[in-house]
Amino acid sequence: MIPIEPLGLEADDAGHSLAITWSDGHTSRHDFSRLRRLCPCAECKGEWGMPGTMTATRELSADQIDLVDLRPVGRYGLTPVLGDGHSTGIYTYNYLRENCECPECATAT
């Protein structure tokens, strides 16, 4: 089986969303605020039975969802750099694909 890989990324700052075009022709969509809530780092998700900061945070500030940069991590993922300086979450490509918010994927779950 040929792995599905990202072919292109497009950040829409005005629309606060990230689009990823995949090698199978699918384009996934990710809202910046949902991406921040999905951050897999220990600070945001929690660790050792302790809740993370995103567990208790109801409202996100503009800085918390302002995408400043996207850094590749090897050949398997991305690290967003956000306006509040947060840059420790590694979002694997599999994780991003599994959390696609496009209408097609939203109805499939």
Side-chain angles (χ1 to χ4, degrees):
M1 179 176 197
I2 299 172
I4 298 170
E5 299 178 334
L7 298 178
L9 305 168
E10 184 177 338
D12 177 1
D13 292 331
H16 295 97
S17 66
L18 173 67
I20 303 172
T21 305
W22 301 94
S23 57
D24 67 351
H26 184 73
T27 299
S28 59
R29 308 256 178 230
H30 304 277
D31 180 76
F32 290 169
S33 62
R34 184 157 185 267
L35 274 178
R36 178 58 186 262
R37 292 204 182 277
L38 287 171
C39 182
C41 81
E43 177 186 348
C44 292
K45 280 285 189 205
E47 64 179 341
W48 299 99
M50 299 298 294
T53 57
M54 289 296 113
T55 305
T57 303
R58 294 197 186 274
E59 296 292 323
L60 296 174
S61 70
D63 283 345
Q64 287 177 300
I65 60 171
D66 180 29
L67 185 65
V68 175
D69 194 12
L70 270 175
R71 296 180 181 156
V73 179
R75 295 180 51 133
Y76 65 92
L78 299 170
T79 291
V81 178
L82 301 167
D84 65 351
H86 187 72
S87 63
T88 57
I90 298 174
Y91 296 69
T92 66
Y93 292 130
N94 286 340
Y95 186 67
L96 288 165
R97 181 65 184 252
E98 290 168 4
N99 286 285
C100 177
E101 298 176 61
C102 80
E104 178 186 341
C105 292
T107 58
T109 57

